[in-house]
Amino acid sequence: MNAPDNSTQADAKPTPSDLQRSFLRHLKHTIVKDKYSATPADLYLALAYAVRDMLAERWLETQQAYYRNNAKRVYYISMEFLMGRTLGNSLINLGIMEEWEGALKQLGIDATDLQESEWDAGLGNGGLGRLAACFLDSLATMSLPAYGYGIRFEYGMFFQKIVDGGQYETPDNWLRYGNPWEFGRQEHLHKIRYHGRVTEYRDEEGMQRHDWVDTHDVMAMAYDVPVPGYGNETVNTLRLWSAKSTRDFELSFFNQGNYIGAVESKMRTENISKVLYPADHMAEGKELRLRQEYFLSSATVQDIFYRFSKKHGDVSILPTKVAIQLNDTHPTLAIPELVRILLDEKLLAWDDAWKISVETFAYTNHTVLPEALETWPVRILENILPRHLQIIYQINDHFLREVASRFPDDMERLRRMSIVAEEGEKHIRMAHLAIVGSHSVNGVSALHSQILKDDLFHDFYEMWPERFNNKTNGITQRRWLKHANRWLADLVSSRIGHGWITDLGELARLRELADDREFQQQWIEVKQANKRHLADLILRDTGVRVSADSLFDCQTKRIHEYKRQLLNVLHVITRYNRIKATPGCAITPRTVIFSGKAAPSYFMAKLIIQLITAVGAVVNNDPAIHGLLKVVFMPNYNVSLAECIFPAADLSEQISTAGTEASGTGNMKYALNGALTIGTLDGANIEIMEEVGRDNIFIFGLTSKQVTHLKRAGYHPRDHYLSDPELKQALDMIAGGTFSPDDPDRFRPISDNLLANDHYLLLADYASYITSQEQVDRLYQEPYEWARRSILNTAGMGKFSSDRTIAEYAREIWNIQPEIIRPTRRFNI
Ligand code: 26Q
């Protein structure tokens, strides 16, 4: 049957009745409900299916065009894709939000309510996973031939509940009600092998060859998720792998006697894609994690190879058709996996296989914290991936020879640079493997990339300076302004048009409006409305009533010592003490909002959450405070909650110890939504300062150079404690049980740690932070001046679009070009 040819109406938008028909058809025939029996979740699903239909044709057309034109593709491999909700984003990118809202309204349905029925796709921990999601949006919007590759975890990031003031985790069974955005591809299956042993033989040319035999196998099955671009015809693919037992595909299984045993072993193998590891910045050496990393790496490389081989016989041209970006070291096994395929299956010589591999791969580093750098015990690799271990040794062998010839008689250097760490139990250093096996190594902000060259990877930089480069992170303005903050987006568009949606540099045109009193007034009103909305959520989720007239001071991110939520708490306690000490003082009313998850096994991070809620309990209920200070911890920080918090923030807390936060991306989302930043000279904060102007940001604390020097010279946190009475008072309250009267010692580990070690230099930065907070208070007393600076912050965010970041990757690393998809038939629903 031929599809009706409505190509002449390519640009026509569907009518309300078209949309209603499609929606009602799905409600009746896909969901099998009517207006009497449909729940809000059913209505959401009906809309999702109707919107999905609108993507289908563009998706097929995009994939065909890539194939037909034999475009060079980029593959973004990531253990995490933190996508959040999809419906609203699809409506925006298809340019049919208003149309759908109108059509549903006629049916008496509120489209916003429906969107809230959708569960977040929480397949990520935080920054790294959300960055991958923003990149997908930019890749599609810029018409780039790209694929995301990840794992379809059955359980995403855990749900955080606050019970008795502390974090309590429950599983995120996000697929329970079905996922309308995924398409299982039973036919796209790859065999993933584990264990077994390696045998040797000589090929016809007398070359030593290897076979990997007697393996235990698992199948990787593809689930495809469409990724539409904004305002164009492109729909790219995010392909997520799910583990399926090979038993399902083996007839012999039915003839075996041990039925239950067979099903048990099937379940064990399917566990591989069961759950996302919830620890970021903590490379836990768990075997299951290694299996997951190889599962993703192997399935993806096989898939890439399969797609390449449909068009090409000569594997030597692989790097001209394929670029693979490794999102941190987590998928680094893709390197030895590609080498293995080239050597053992394509029977290439080592030098040829290695050259192809290096030219294909590029690696992004996201952290300098030593505990987050992945290493795997040789013992475990030997057992699970014996052939890959051999290949890694061979890579190291060639590599160390090269080092020795470049830097003769430098044993110490060989030891430092080796892919194999020989101290204690032998380990494989995944970052070293990634650097050696890639033609590009990048950090995610200017400072971070400099630290990689000067410090963490200095030896490698000396060897291959041309490999090192910077790609400052970015965020997608489609989600983080247009979708999350509609009122502000509309206000901006009313003054400078819609160009910023695909060219964020356009926001600079707001600068000339920064002094316009009427515009400032409108700006203030939008912020006020967003704050009222958040205040309602806070009341609903925490039971605390906060005033939208107070300054909303926000720190939302994973809970980690290096991010220094505790420094924020020290300020809160100091502020509390000042209000108590001076009754009736004219201090600026503040609501301090925290949100973020702690890794379940991270004792100190969990204790920090307890302290925040405990301080809140004291401060919020103290009548002497007269509501001048409120402290709330919003549970279960995720993409959807973030979409409510960023638009309502006055002040953005970006206060990590200088030199520890690789980039940060929340900092960009806050500033884009008009929050002023209080921050250290760390990560992308530095570049934000450069863009918005030094006068429009509150900078405090040691620089990363000063941090290094202080640590080298010997740091004595207790000196600060002894010399600063307000700091002493705050720490004594934590240590003495002011916030834990039922258990006075509960928070002793926090104060003890700060006084004895203070690894992240909170006490060294305390005084400067407090001074900076006083400047914040003073500025907030002048609402129009605050509004002016807020406007200048939004106006300065042009650089931080992920479109800019992706354009740089495409040009400087991947060497790929846009592939414009022409409209054919549209809105065929
Ligand atoms: C590694 C091994 C085993 C288990 C877990 C992990 C693991 C998982 C996630 C290690 C690290 C992560 C996540 C790191 C991360 O999110 N880094 C952040 O990346 C952002 C995007 O570049 C930056 O903006 C942040 O500064 C950086 O902290």
Side-chain angles (χ1 to χ4, degrees), residues 80 127-128 279-281 283 289 330 366 374 473 562 661-664:
E80 309 191 5
L128 168 147
D280 65 336
H281 303 98
R289 169 78 184 190
H330 317 153
H366 295 268
E374 279 192 295
N473 281 167
Y562 87 83
E661 188 71 273
S663 160

Side-chain angles (χ1 to χ4, degrees), residues 351-362:
D351 288 348
D352 298 329
W354 183 242
K355 182 165 180 288
I356 291 168
S357 185
V358 171
E359 287 175 5
T360 301
F361 284 103

Side-chain angles (χ1 to χ4, degrees), residues 80 125-129 131 277-286 289 293 327-330 364-367 372 374 376 444 473 562-563 660-667:
E80 309 191 5
N125 273 285
L128 168 147
L131 184 74
Y277 272 82
D280 65 336
H281 303 98
M282 192 78 81
E284 273 184 289
K286 295 274 157 54
R289 169 78 184 190
E293 293 185 354
N327 198 19
D328 217 296
T329 53
H330 317 153
T364 306
N365 171 282
H366 295 268
T367 181
E374 279 192 295
W376 288 104
V444 289
N473 281 167
Y562 87 83
K563 294 177 186 281
T660 63
E661 188 71 273
S663 160
T665 44
N667 47 3

